[in-house]
């Protein structure tokens, strides 16, 4: 049983003791603190907040608590019901709301839920705003408004169709080109809200759709994180159905992975790489951004188009901040998170799918042929367990000093870019561990590089 409070919201398991899980009093406390932050930003204004949720079993329960609390705090509510994370973000923008709350624990298992907090741009709160919410949640006293100031539900409406409409209206989404290819697509939505949205989007694009785990029951058919080891079922169905490709989304539809026609993984790191390849082909010399732990393939593809690649700290808000700073035409995260500023600054599997299929149609290739056009890198993800007594920051400083002659980036842990491979070392804020991510041109090399650094760090720590 766990409750994790962070600047991006609160996440916890349903049931159990208050303050140690995501219980009703915890939901009320954090929702109240969030409204107070938005009120501080908009003195004297009657606030409107969008509420959306994924298909988790606890979704209705948490949504009712959030909605009631918002009304009690004097905010009006637009409830978009079952809606993806990017859809809820788009609703905040489209409805000119003052903020939004998405009720989803993303790729975490069924017993989890969380509140993701949005600003008036439909983007995640900044570090400072998140800290302010956490601080206000710890204050015991707050006077709720009286009867004449309580909020009202302005509307309960579906926003998914409008989100699809806006995706298909993008100039770089070539609906006709995709329709002509008549792709046969297997979609695995892990029995969450993607099951409502993704088949609809694909059919609008003229695809023949085979639905897998598309009933939005919240009973996840497999581990909901779209990693290769969890995607065995879709591989079999693609081969059996002779489909052109498979599409996999996580429960709140901000992560996107593809599977090729032979059942092999396109690999989620390459979702962003392929979409960026398309966007850069239309914007030669354009700038791209991903986080430090993402594949070097994005840098390579960006440079092929004469563009410049930038790395940001890990975390969606850090990626979008960097994208705005450098004027990126496309960006995101290696975990299948595509951020296309032409629509909005949020990871969006719908826009990712529509742009990807446009690219695949324009290239006239199969999935395996397209994949073969990208440089192959292999990532190894490991961690070192430490004791709480070890000063992790000091260890990382020591590593940095030892590799001062190399290309080192220390905006988020320590990333060392060697000519042929890289290592990224990050501490965890919740556990005494160091994450050791490496990438190289073969799996053996990536594993060997990780083992070398694990041994070196253990040496520094004397363990
Ligand atoms: Mg997610």
């Amino acid at each position: 049983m766990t409750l994790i409070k962070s600047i991006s919201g609160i996440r916890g398991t349903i049931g159990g003791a208050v303050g140690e899980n995501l219980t009703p009093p915890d939901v009320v406390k954090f929702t109240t603190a969030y409204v107070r932050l938005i009120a501080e930003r908009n003195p004297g204004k009657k606030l409107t907040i969008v509420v959306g949720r994924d298909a988790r079993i606890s979704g209705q329960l948490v949504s009712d608590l959030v909605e009631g609390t918002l009304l009690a705090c004097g905010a009006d509510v637009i409830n978009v019901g079952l809606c993806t994370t990017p859809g809820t973000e788009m609703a905040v923008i489209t409805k000119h709301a003052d903020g939004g709350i998405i009720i989803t624990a993303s790729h975490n298992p069924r017993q989890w839920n969380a509140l993701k907090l949005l600003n008036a741009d439909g983007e995640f709160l900044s570090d400072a705003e998140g800290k302010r919410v956490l601080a206000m949640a710890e204050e015991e006293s707050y006077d709720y408004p009286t009867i004449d100031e309580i909020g009202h539900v302005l509307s309960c409406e579906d926003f998914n169709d409008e989100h699809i409409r806006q995706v298909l209206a993008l100039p770089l989404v070539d609906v006709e080109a995709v329709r002509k290819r008549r792709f046969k697509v297997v979609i695995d939505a892990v029995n969450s809200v993607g099951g409502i949205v993704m088949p609809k989007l694909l059919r609008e694009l003229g695809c023949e759709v085979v639905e897998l785990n598309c009933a939005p029951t919240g009973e996840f058919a497999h581990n909901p994180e779209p990693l290769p080891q969890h995607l065995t079922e879709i591989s079999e169905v693609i081969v059996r159905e002779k489909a052109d490709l498979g599409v996999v989304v996580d429960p709140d539809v901000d992560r996107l992975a593809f599977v090729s026609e032979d059942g092999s993984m396109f690999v989620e790191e390459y979702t962003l790489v392929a979409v960026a390849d398309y966007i850069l082909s239309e914007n030669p010399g354009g700038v791209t951004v991903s986080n430090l732990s993402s594949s070097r393939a994005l840098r390579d593809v960006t440079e092929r188009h004469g563009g410049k690649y930038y790395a940001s700290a890990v975390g969606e808000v850090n990626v979008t901040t960097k994208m705005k700073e450098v004027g990126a035409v496309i960006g995101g995260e290696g975990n299948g998170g595509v951020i296309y500023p032409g629509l909005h600054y949020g990871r969006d599997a719908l826009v990712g799918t529509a742009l990807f299929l446009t690219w695949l149609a324009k290239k006239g290739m199969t999935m395996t042929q397209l994949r073969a056009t990208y440089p192959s890198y292999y990532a190894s993800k490991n961690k070192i367990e430490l004791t709480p007594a070890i000063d992790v920051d000091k260890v990382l400083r020591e590593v940095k000093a030892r590799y001062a002659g190399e290309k080192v980036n220390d905006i988020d842990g320590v990333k060392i870019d060697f000519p042929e491979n890289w290592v990224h070392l990050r501490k965890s804020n919740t556990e005494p561990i160091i994450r050791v991510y490496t990438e190289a041109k073969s799996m053996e090399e990536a594993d060997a590089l990780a083992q070398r650094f694990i041994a070196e760090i253990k040496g520094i720590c004397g363990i």
Side-chain angles (χ1 to χ4, degrees), residues 142-429:
Y142 173 64
D143 287 343
Y144 286 89
T146 55
I147 188 67
D148 293 321
E149 275 90 44
I150 64 168
H152 299 278
V153 178
L154 300 182
S155 63
C156 292
E157 57 188 282
D158 176 84
F159 192 78
N160 294 315
D161 287 350
E162 174 60 19
H163 184 199
I164 291 173
R165 193 193 66 72
Q166 294 193 31
V167 167
L168 296 176
L170 288 169
L172 288 189
V173 173
D174 191 336
V175 177
E176 283 318 306
V178 180
R179 280 185 181 156
K180 272 195 196 129
R181 280 286 300 266
R182 305 182 60 77
F183 289 118
K184 185 170 184 181
V185 183
V186 184
I187 166 71
D188 181 349
V190 73
N191 288 335
S192 187
V193 67
I196 302 171
V197 185
M198 295 302 290
K200 234 179 204 177
L201 172 75
L202 292 165
R203 288 191 178 104
E204 292 277 347
L205 286 163
C207 301
E208 182 186 341
V209 180
V210 179
E211 297 188 13
L212 186 64
N213 307 320
C214 282
T217 59
E219 291 292 0
F220 302 144
H222 53 79
N223 183 313
E225 190 164 18
L227 298 176
Q229 59 269 37
H230 306 145
L231 305 180
T232 47
E233 190 185 5
I234 190 169
S235 288
E236 291 167 19
V237 176
I238 289 166
V239 174
R240 192 171 68 227
E241 294 280 343
K242 297 187 172 53
D244 296 297
L245 71 151
V247 177
V248 185
V249 293
D250 75 333
D252 65 323
V253 199
D254 58 357
R255 285 175 65 174
L256 173 64
F258 297 113
V259 186
S260 295
E261 77 282 359
D262 61 353
S264 66
M265 295 296 135
F266 196 81
V267 181
E268 62 174 356
E269 283 283 345
Y270 285 83
T271 302
L272 174 61
V273 173
V275 172
D277 190 21
Y278 172 42
I279 300 301
L280 289 162
S281 75
E282 298 284 335
N283 297 276
V287 169
T288 63
V289 173
S290 66
N291 68 39
L292 284 172
S293 282
S294 301
S295 175
R296 187 178 269 187
L298 181 62
R299 183 201 69 182
D300 293 358
V301 166
T302 306
E303 289 174 355
R304 262 189 211 170
H305 289 279
K308 193 158 167 45
Y309 164 79
Y310 291 89
S312 76
V314 174
E316 182 169 339
V317 70
N318 297 316
V319 178
T320 54
T321 302
K322 189 76 184 172
M323 286 177 70
K324 290 174 189 174
E325 183 192 315
V326 298
V329 292
I330 184 83
E333 296 177 341
N335 60 11
V338 174
I339 302 172
Y340 180 55
L343 188 63
H344 67 130
Y345 280 100
R347 298 185 305 180
D348 188 327
L350 283 81
V351 80
T353 299
L355 291 170
F356 181 87
L357 290 180
T358 301
W359 188 225
L360 190 63
K362 282 178 184 284
K363 294 290 269 187
M365 290 178 170
T366 63
M367 291 288 285
T368 46
Q369 286 167 344
L370 179 66
R371 181 65 174 76
T373 66
Y374 300 121
S376 279
Y377 289 107
Y378 298 84
S380 178
K381 298 187 176 184
N382 299 273
K383 62 182 176 184
I384 310 172
E385 311 268 354
L386 304 168
T387 57
I390 294 172
D391 182 345
V392 177
D393 290 318
K394 199 174 154 201
V395 173
L396 292 180
R397 277 199 302 276
E398 171 65 23
V399 175
K400 192 184 148 196
R402 287 186 182 193
Y403 289 89
E406 303 288 342
K407 225 176 127 191
V408 178
N409 185 327
D410 65 352
I411 57 169
D412 184 3
V414 175
K415 168 133 183 219
I416 308 167
D417 265 295
F418 299 106
E420 293 297 315
N421 48 42
W422 56 257
V423 59
H424 187 199
L425 309 168
R426 289 181 75 220
K427 73 167 185 176
S428 162
N429 288 325

